[in-house]
Amino acid sequence: MNSFFDIEQRAAGYVRLLTDKRETPLRYTRAGEPFALLLRLRCPPAFTRARFYLGNDDGILVQGAETSVLRERETTLLRSPDCTLDKGLYFFHFELETENGLRYTSEEMFGCTLADRFSGEWQLLVYDEEPARPDDPGIIYHVFVDRFRKAGDVPRRPDAVYREDWGGGIPEYADVKGGFLRNNSFFGGTLYGVTEKLEYIRALGASVIYLSPVAEAYSNHKYDVGDFMKVDAGFGGDRALAELTEKAASLGIRVMLDGVFNHVGDNSVYFNKYGTYPSIGAYQSKESPYADWFTFYRFPDLYECWWGVTNLPKVRKTPEYQAFITEQVIPHYMRLGVGGWRLDVVDEYSGAFLEGITRAVRACDPQAPVIGEVWEDASCKVAYGERKNYFCGGRLDGVTNYPLRDALIAFLTGRDTQTLALTLHAQYLRYPAAHRRSLMNMLGSHDTVRIVNALAGADGEGLSEAERAALRLTAAQRQSAVRALKAAYLFLCAQVGWPCLYYGDETALEGCADPFCRRPYPWGSADAELIGYFRRCAAMRREYGLGFYTSEYVLDAPEGVFAAVYEQETRRFLVILNGREENFSFEEKGLYKDILDSVIYDTKLTVKEKSCAVFVRLAEKS
């Protein structure tokens, strides 16, 4: 038997934010509102004075301000001077003057320690507005259009290769990993196909469909934009997108597009390397109207491109280009009914450009979410020499939550059982609540190995491309990985943010990383039982309003077990993720119901091996 308690209680001390007479562990506050920072230390060494320091990337703003000190029996409370700050990211620490020299507060994720040398600071995020987005408990369903569903009468390009092996077809791949590939082979999925399967998607609990890029482009993935102002004819054109958004809206589903505004294709209106388009592209002439959009080191064949990929020339975000995106491209798609954007490689956008995009989206639909592709901690991200300040106001509503995905896989495969708790606790403290509700919590994407392969430990690392293409899980591997997949998805459904389901993961579609994670959806052989499980998880999330909490905290737990409490106004949930290969039992006073399986427990609770359970506390027995 095991008894849980708050991890923070084990630390030597902890920090609280005091604002408007409310004390909170959160590390963010509104701009222009006075606040103070409180440090509670348990049994600190004797000291004569305590000082407070606060600054940002530009320098120190509060240097050595003396703190007020309140001594209690076993706790000492240090209170910083009152502060009022503009939006931005700030850093702070306390110092104690002792007879043995200075002692510095050193942050630990669940509290702090005292060190004899400076070793880092806490961060404090100050924001000036909260994002607006629909508060619904649905999921995001991520569709890679060419591989989801064939439907409709659409034209075929003469310069493309069309595949007739939808069932079990292996995407085209380069001879070596990372080798050049034009990606002009198509399985034939269309936007009409997505429309045809709207009821299926809604039954999975979707309130948002996130589409891979749909603008005209040479490739099957469409990240090499050819013409921003046209939906690709092979997907059905503008008409197909408008039909999809209209019918989706009638079912309560928004359609989110992948905005690719950092680079275009070399085979595009704007670059026109091959003379495909009748207009004059930047590759063809320095007099092109698009010449200023690109950086040429030696005209015309040596130019800046995205990560060295020569068929993706990188765009200079000139004022004219930014105006084109914000005043023409975004309004065009939102007039077609688009209700949100996921921004590709958003780290490469300047803050001003990102704010312009968000303003343009808001002007069309104030509730449309703007989510950025970010792979790290988004609260303090620095890229290309700029502090991104994604959550300080006016930039992003949410981000792709790859840190949670990575931590969850590491936990369930036994590689790292500590980072999951650290990641969730860090996001709780550092990400403003409204931004957390707009996190895209995914298990997989078009850029990652399929989740069932990741959980099976069969990601194909070290294999040749031909070996990765042929890789299939054994029956035993698949059975074990599917069990872990169920646990991972239920766990996501209990978290703050949108659970994001990459097409095919609900039937445990296999595949190594790009391009093998982009196989066609297996409509003729999908796993009905597993799909039913995913539907039940989403229905449970909606029924109980999971993800919308008044408070939450991670609990101490044995090795291989994650435990946390999530509270609403009238409900208390206990979420246990058991990564062990045996059942986990513990005692928790009171009646609890496993809300997925409807089993009621009295004091002694059990979570099966490699599984997740969400317990709701019931009213006490009379």
Side-chain angles (χ1 to χ4, degrees), residues 119-134:
S119 59
E121 299 181 289
W122 284 282
Q123 71 176 49
L124 176 70
L125 187 147
V126 181
Y127 63 92
D128 69 353
E129 63 178 282
E130 290 187 347
R133 57 141 284 211

Side-chain angles (χ1 to χ4, degrees), residues 44-85:
F47 64 92
T48 57
R49 182 177 295 174
R51 298 188 182 278
F52 173 75
Y53 293 79
L54 180 143
N56 59 15
D57 292 329
D58 296 326
I60 299 174
L61 303 176
V62 179
Q63 183 166 359
E66 193 156 343
T67 69
S68 59
V69 180
L70 176 63
R71 300 181 189 273
E72 300 173 349
R73 289 183 59 186
E74 296 182 353
T75 304
T76 298
L77 175 65
L78 308 181
R79 187 182 193 278
S80 76
D82 287 343
C83 301
T84 303
L85 298 172

Side-chain angles (χ1 to χ4, degrees), residues 424-441:
L424 282 173
H425 188 67
Q427 291 181 352
Y428 170 64
L429 295 182
R430 296 176 176 180
Y431 288 20
H435 293 280
R436 290 186 68 219
R437 289 197 296 272
S438 291
L439 288 174
M440 187 183 285
N441 295 333

Side-chain angles (χ1 to χ4, degrees), residues 5 92 101 114 219 233 287 359 413 447 506 519 525 532 613 616:
F5 56 92
F92 67 91
L114 292 174
S219 74
E287 304 303 316
R359 280 195 303 271
T413 55
D447 286 325
E506 71 271 26
R519 288 191 171 105
S525 58
V616 62

